[in-house]
Structures are given as structure tokens and as C-alpha cells.
């Protein structure tokens, strides 16, 4: 059974008004990372929104509309994609090809799971590896959240004020709110933070005034289209692209961890029904599609898990409508311009809470699985992963292959788990 009674279960649908607000909240909860990733990589925000919405629908079709998961831009690939672009002189060909290959890796793993089951994955990725991996993913984003919020040396007091207001509104609505208000804390917090930011001069509305109402998303394809707003890249299978593949270990672990935690929240085992093979195929095809149109890698969102865990709204229809909203908004240039005016401090305030929830979910996996840290091997595995992942470790192999913190932590965790002998105390 679920730990807390859900307000809306998987196949339950809120009425139209509430459902729309809940869907908008899911979209906004994903905005922080969904738009920040393309901004950091110099990609189009509208393309990221389009890929996010279509990717979510691809995932839902694959999982028979039975898992309340929203897909968005993955932080795990930022460093690798940025490195690939840098090595290619700004050309996105290696980065996009690498992410398409990552999607294919997902599909291959899914097919293998469908053939031989999940025992080998349980062996490679037990809770003692998945738990620290989720913690690393969450806390690895902590610096991004804190920096966005402005809590840095010589930071602007206005940014700190806005981030603090956004954070406190979310916390107060979540803990003290009554009725339906308690269900949409992030939407209320973002609106409140945005108003405060506008009042103290942190919002520039010029981009909104200059933008058209509707425009095609600025996407890129591996062939010429003749459409002026569309870019072009070429498939490239060199080392810069192949260096991205090891990070698939991280995101597959994240995928499994997110579905485990979501299962705890909803009282279901999504790895058995609809099955890990279906969830992986949905995630992989969505990721490959996003890269194909010039977007960032997709991922099953920890933020999505955090929102469902805090609001107890697990309705698949809410997520589906959120996907349609994201697709529609990707064509609204006025709206994407408006989103671009949301100060990073507002998103930073939200991120402090949401990224903390992701990390806490890693602890939850360890506690729920009763991982014994009295056993030296478990202590060694978790310790090595946390230090390497959070310390920003980098391993360079040759002149072009670089495995950095998060990916390196996952690889080391898997290897240590296979190499170290089990103890009688386990």
C-alpha cells in the first residue's frame, strides 16, 4: 500500500478546472531544469519544451498510460554534451549523435530485460548502488540551485530575497495550506516569487513585447529542410559522441530509482507492471527523438517524483495534459519569451526544495531496502560513490574520452559491487 493515501490515483481524473491547474503545476515544476539545460548548452528552449511534451507522450504509449511520469531535460549529460560541442568547435553533431545512441542503448537494455528478465540488473544495480546514485544526482545539483538562488559570496540581496520568498511560499502552502491550494504549492510559489521579482526590478519584459504570438520551435535536424528557422547537423560517430555513452549507466540507474520511489509513493511496482522493459523503451525512444530534433537528452524526472510525493496527485491524465500543454507552449513565442523572463532566483528557490527531495529519495531507497551499513562492502561502495560523484572527479582516457563525476560514480559503484565479496552480516 502507498505510504499516504493519494488524493488522485493513477487512473483517477480530477475535474476539468482542478486538472488543468494540476497539469500547469507539473509543467512549471519541470521548467526549472527543462529550460535551464538548453540555456546552459546554448539550445532552443522551445525545442526542449516540444521534446519534453512529445517525449512524455511517447513514454505513456510505451507504458500503456499506466505510469504517472513526465519526461524533461536531463542534467546528467550537460558536461558531456558541452565537452562534445567544445571539441567540435561549437558543432552540435557529436552531442546529438551521442544522445541518440544513448536512447538506442536504453532500447537494447529494454529488449534484453524483456528476453532474460531483470535479475542481471538487480545484480549490477542493487539498492546500495542506486541509493547513493540518486543522492549524487540530487546533491550534485545543489550548487546549481544555490547559485541560481543567489546565495553566494557578494550575491545580490534581491536574488536572495526572491529565492527565499519563493521557497517559503512553497513550504508554507505545502505544510499549512488548506484544500486545493495545498495541491499546487509550486505554481503558487512561482507566481508569488515572480511578482516579488517584478516589484523590485528583476524582470525585463522587453523580450515579451518584441516576441510574436506564435512561431515554429527552433529545431535542428540531421538533414536540410529548406525551412529558414530550422538548423542542420550531421550524424557523427567519432570519440566525442561515443564518450557520452557511459553516462547511460547513470541515467538507467536514475530511471530505476525514480520508478522505485514512485512505486513507493503510489503503492505499485512499476518495474513489474507495466515492466522495466516498457519504461526503458519509452524513456530511450523519447531521448533519441529529442536529440534527433536538436533537443537535450530526456529523462524521467526526479522533480516529477517530488511533486507527486508532496502533492499526492498521481493521476496519469494530469501528466498527459501537462505534455499537451508543453507542446502547445513550444509554439507560443510570447509564452516562451515570458518564461525566459522568470528570474533564475525564482527557479533557484524551487530547486532548493525539489533537488533536496531527489536526494532524500536516495536515502529512502537505502532505508526501505534495509541496506546494512554495518557491512564494510556496503560502506565502501556508498562512500566511494558519494565522494567521487559530489567531488566532481574526472577520469580522462586518451585524448578525447572523459568520464566525469556522476558517470564515474556510477561505474565505480557497479564495479565495486561486483568485485567486493559479500559478508555474512548481509
Amino acid at each position: 500500500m502507498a505510504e499516504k493515501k493519494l488524493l488522485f490515483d493513477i487512473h483517477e481524473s480530477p475535474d476539468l478546472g482542478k486538472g488543468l491547474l494540476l497539469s500547469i503545476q507539473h509543467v512549471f515544476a519541470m521548467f526549472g531544469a527543462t529550460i535551464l539545460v538548453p540555456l546552459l548548452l546554448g539550445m532552443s528552449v522551445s525545442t526542449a519544451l516540444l521534446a519534453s511534451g512529445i517525449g512524455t507522450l511517447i513514454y505513456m504509449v510505451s507504458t500503456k498510460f499506466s505510469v504517472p511520469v513526465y519526461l524533461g531535460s536531463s542534467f546528467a549529460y550537460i558536461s558531456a554534451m558541452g565537452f562534445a560541442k567544445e571539441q567540435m568547435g561549437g558543432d552540435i553533431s557529436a552531442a546529438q549523435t551521442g544522445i541518440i545512441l544513448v536512447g538506442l542503448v536504453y532500447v537494447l537494455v529494454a529488449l534484453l530485460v524483456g528476453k532474460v528478465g531483470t535479475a542481471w540488473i538487480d545484480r549490477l544495480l542493487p539498492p546500495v548502488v542506486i541509493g547513493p546514485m540518486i543522492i549524487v544526482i540530487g546533491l550534485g545539483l545543489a550548487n546549481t540551485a544555490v547559485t541560481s538562488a543567489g546565495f553566494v559570496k557578494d550575491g545580490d540581496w534581491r536574488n536572495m530575497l526572491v529565492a527565499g520568498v519563493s521557497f517559503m511560499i512553497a513550504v508554507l502552502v505545502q505544510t499549512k495550506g488548506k484544500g486545493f491550494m495545498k495541491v499546487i504549492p509550486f505554481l503558487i510559489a512561482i507566481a508569488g516569487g515572480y511578482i516579488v521579482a517584478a516589484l523590485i526590478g528583476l524582470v525585463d519584459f522587453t523580450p515579451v513585447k518584441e516576441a510574436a504570438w506564435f512561431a515554429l520551435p527552433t529545431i535542428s535536424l540531421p538533414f536540410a529542410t529548406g525551412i529558414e528557422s530550422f538548423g542542420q547537423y550531421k550524424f557523427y560517430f567519432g570519440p566525442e559522441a561515443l564518450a557520452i555513452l557511459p553516462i547511460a549507466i547513470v541515467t538507467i540507474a536514475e530511471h530505476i530509482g525514480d520508478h522505485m520511489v514512485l512505486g513507493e509513493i503510489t503503492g505499485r511496482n512499476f518495474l513489474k507492471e507495466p515492466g522495466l522493459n516498457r519504461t526503458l523503451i519509452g524513456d530511450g525512444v523519447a531521448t533519441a527523438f529529442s536529440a534527433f530534433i536538436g533537443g537535450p537528452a530526456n529523462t524521467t524526472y526526479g522533480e516529477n517524483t517530488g511533486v507527486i510525493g508532496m502533492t499526492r496527485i498521481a493521476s496519469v491524465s494530469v501528466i498527459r495534459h501537462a505534455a499537451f500543454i508543453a507542446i502547445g507552449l513550444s509554439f507560443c513565442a510570447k509564452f516562451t519569451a515570458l518564461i525566459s523572463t522568470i528570474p533564475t532566483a525564482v527557479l533557484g528557490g524551487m530547486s532548493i526544495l525539489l533537488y533536496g527531495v531527489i536526494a532524500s529519495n536516495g536515502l529512502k531507497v537505502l532505508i526501505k531496502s534495509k541496506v546494512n551499513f554495518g557491512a564494510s562492502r556496503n560502506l565502501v561502495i556508498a562512500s566511494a560513490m558519494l565522494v567521487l560523484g559530489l567531488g566532481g572527479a574526472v577520469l580522462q582516457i586518451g585524448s578525447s574520452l572523459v568520464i566525469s563525476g556522476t558517470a564515474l560514480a556510477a561505474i565505480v559503484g557497479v564495479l565495486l559491487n561486483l568485485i567486493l565479496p559479500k559478508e555474512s552480516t548481509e
Side-chain angles (χ1 to χ4, degrees):
M1 295 297 292
E3 293 178 353
K4 291 184 179 179
K5 189 180 186 308
L6 296 171
L7 296 180
F8 290 99
D9 207 344
I10 304 294
H11 299 296
E12 294 178 337
S13 300
D15 62 53
L16 183 61
K18 287 184 178 180
L20 180 61
L21 284 176
L22 289 168
S23 297
I24 291 173
Q25 174 175 261
H26 266 283
V27 174
F28 269 90
M30 312 309 156
F31 265 137
T34 299
I35 69 173
L36 184 57
V37 171
L39 288 175
L40 290 174
L41 291 171
M43 294 177 163
S44 166
V45 171
S46 61
T47 306
L49 283 174
L50 178 65
S52 173
I54 294 179
T56 298
L57 295 178
I58 290 172
Y59 174 89
M60 288 194 161
V61 170
S62 175
T63 57
K64 302 182 290 188
F65 293 89
S66 61
V67 187
V69 160
Y70 188 97
L71 301 187
S73 309
S74 173
F75 270 97
Y77 294 92
I78 289 178
S79 298
M81 291 182 72
F83 180 78
K85 284 184 65 178
E86 181 182 338
Q87 292 295 104
M88 298 288 289
D91 185 0
I92 66 170
S93 296
Q96 301 311 109
T97 304
I99 298 303
I100 291 173
L101 293 176
V102 164
L104 296 180
V105 168
Y106 268 64
V107 173
L108 290 175
V109 172
L111 294 175
L112 189 57
V113 167
K115 279 285 187 182
V116 301
T118 61
W120 63 280
I121 289 184
D122 296 335
R123 171 69 173 146
L124 286 177
L125 299 170
V128 72
V129 174
I130 291 178
M133 196 66 261
I134 297 173
I135 294 172
V136 167
I137 291 169
L139 295 185
L141 298 170
N143 184 62
T144 300
V146 170
T147 302
S148 297
F151 294 111
V152 294
K153 185 178 180 181
D154 298 325
D156 190 331
W157 66 269
R158 297 178 301 171
N159 289 329
M160 290 184 273
L161 173 64
V162 169
V165 168
S166 302
F167 175 84
M168 287 308 302
I169 290 175
V171 171
L172 290 173
V173 173
Q174 177 63 32
T175 56
K176 302 293 184 181
K178 302 294 182 182
F180 186 64
M181 283 187 66
K182 189 173 182 177
V183 180
I184 52 171
F186 302 114
L187 190 59
I188 295 172
I190 289 173
Y194 189 84
I195 291 171
V196 172
L199 291 175
I200 61 176
L202 285 182
V203 180
D204 178 12
F205 293 101
T206 303
V208 182
K209 295 176 182 176
E210 295 178 347
W213 276 103
F214 297 100
L216 288 173
T218 309
I219 68 178
S220 295
L221 296 167
F223 50 82
T225 61
I227 300 175
E228 186 177 349
S229 62
F230 283 15
Q232 182 183 3
Y233 64 92
K234 296 180 180 179
F235 288 126
Y236 176 81
F237 298 96
E240 294 83 0
L242 298 178
I244 296 174
L245 294 184
I247 304 176
I249 296 173
V250 177
T251 47
I252 287 174
E254 180 185 20
H255 177 104
I256 294 171
D258 283 342
H259 284 77
M260 287 175 63
V261 174
L262 191 58
E264 292 297 325
I265 294 171
T266 59
R268 286 170 167 77
N269 187 342
F270 295 119
L271 301 184
K272 291 189 179 294
E273 181 57 44
L276 179 59
N277 59 324
R278 283 186 169 273
T279 63
L280 280 172
I281 286 176
D283 200 347
V285 174
T287 291
F289 170 80
S290 178
F292 184 79
I293 65 171
N298 272 347
T299 185
T300 51
Y301 251 28
E303 284 89 336
N304 171 81
T305 305
V307 171
I308 292 175
M310 296 183 74
T311 63
R312 293 180 289 139
I313 305 294
S315 170
V316 170
S317 70
V318 168
I319 307 294
R320 182 178 65 244
H321 295 152
F324 284 121
I325 289 171
I327 293 170
L329 293 178
S330 71
F331 287 87
C332 181
K334 279 277 191 207
F335 184 80
T336 54
L338 178 64
I339 292 303
S340 71
T341 67
I342 297 178
T344 55
V346 174
L347 302 176
M350 295 295 93
S351 297
I352 290 173
L353 184 59
L354 288 175
Y355 295 160
V357 169
I358 296 172
S360 298
N361 283 336
L363 290 174
K364 188 175 179 182
V365 168
L366 295 172
I367 294 170
K368 187 68 178 179
S369 302
K370 298 180 180 179
V371 174
N372 178 19
F373 281 104
S376 298
R377 78 182 297 274
N378 291 339
L379 192 62
V380 168
I381 292 169
S383 300
M385 292 180 68
L386 291 173
V387 171
L388 291 173
L390 299 177
V394 174
L395 175 64
Q396 183 163 345
I397 303 173
S399 59
S400 58
L401 181 58
V402 176
I403 304 174
S404 60
T406 309
L408 186 59
I411 293 171
V412 168
V414 168
L415 292 177
L416 287 175
N417 177 65
L418 294 174
I419 293 169
L420 296 178
K422 288 194 174 184
E423 303 173 28
S424 59
T425 55
E426 291 189 78

